[in-house]
């Protein structure tokens, strides 16, 4: 099973920036689209962003469009989420996962990692 380890979360003030990293297991990382998700307390996990295996196609939730940028470095088996202009509503545990393509990224097939906590507060 493909597994992931998220890191880079922390406490940041509104308007600040944070870069999350997702280290994936296995040498087949580059064959899959990658997606970022988040879950706030008492809420369902929601889709945030996705990127195709080659990086040429991306998709973002409306709530983060223009503020977040997803990227990947296949040589390092790592995906990233650059988060700018952070808002308190972005506060959540952030997870990453994999899917065959961007279109199906909302239903990933990998195991869920521990996630990384992002807290946006003054």
């Amino acid at each position: 099973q493909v597994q992931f380890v998220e890191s880079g979360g922390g406490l940041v003030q509104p308007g600040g920036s944070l870069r999350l990293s997702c280290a994936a297991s296995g040498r087949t990382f580059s064959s899959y689209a990658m997606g970022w998700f988040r879950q706030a307390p008492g809420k369902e996990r929601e889709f945030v962003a996705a990127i195709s295996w080659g990086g040429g196609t991306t998709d973002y939730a409306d709530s983060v469009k223009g503020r977040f940028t997803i990227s990947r470095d296949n040589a390092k088996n790592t995906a990233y989420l650059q988060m700018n202009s952070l808002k308190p509503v972005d506060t959540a545990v952030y997870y990453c996962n994999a899917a065959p393509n961007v279109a199906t990224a909302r239903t990933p097939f990998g195991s869920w990692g521990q996630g990384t906590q992002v807290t946006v507060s003054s």
Side-chain angles (χ1 to χ4, degrees), residues 6 9-10 20 36-41 43-46 48 81 83 89-96 112-119:
E6 300 91 345
L20 307 184
W36 282 96
F37 304 78
R38 66 187 183 186
Q39 186 169 24
K43 304 292 184 180
E44 293 294 309
R45 184 168 51 240
E46 66 175 345
V48 175
L81 186 68
M83 306 184 295
V89 294
D90 296 318
T91 296
V93 177
Y94 283 70
Y95 304 87
C96 64
W112 294 106
Q114 82 284 357
T116 185
Q117 176 71 52
V118 172
T119 302

Side-chain angles (χ1 to χ4, degrees), residues 20-101:
L20 307 184
S21 296
C22 169
S25 65
R27 64 177 185 269
T28 61
F29 173 76
S30 63
S31 298
Y32 305 107
M34 292 294 300
W36 282 96
F37 304 78
R38 66 187 183 186
Q39 186 169 24
K43 304 292 184 180
E44 293 294 309
R45 184 168 51 240
E46 66 175 345
F47 169 79
V48 175
I51 186 169
S52 62
W53 73 271
T57 302
T58 58
D59 188 28
Y60 297 92
D62 289 341
S63 59
V64 307
K65 196 170 299 181
R67 299 188 298 121
F68 291 10
T69 302
I70 187 171
S71 62
R72 66 193 297 165
D73 185 341
N74 290 342
K76 296 182 178 180
N77 287 344
T78 302
Y80 305 94
L81 186 68
Q82 178 67 47
M83 306 184 295
N84 299 325
S85 302
L86 283 163
K87 307 173 181 179
V89 294
D90 296 318
T91 296
V93 177
Y94 283 70
Y95 304 87
C96 64
N97 214 309
N101 51 59

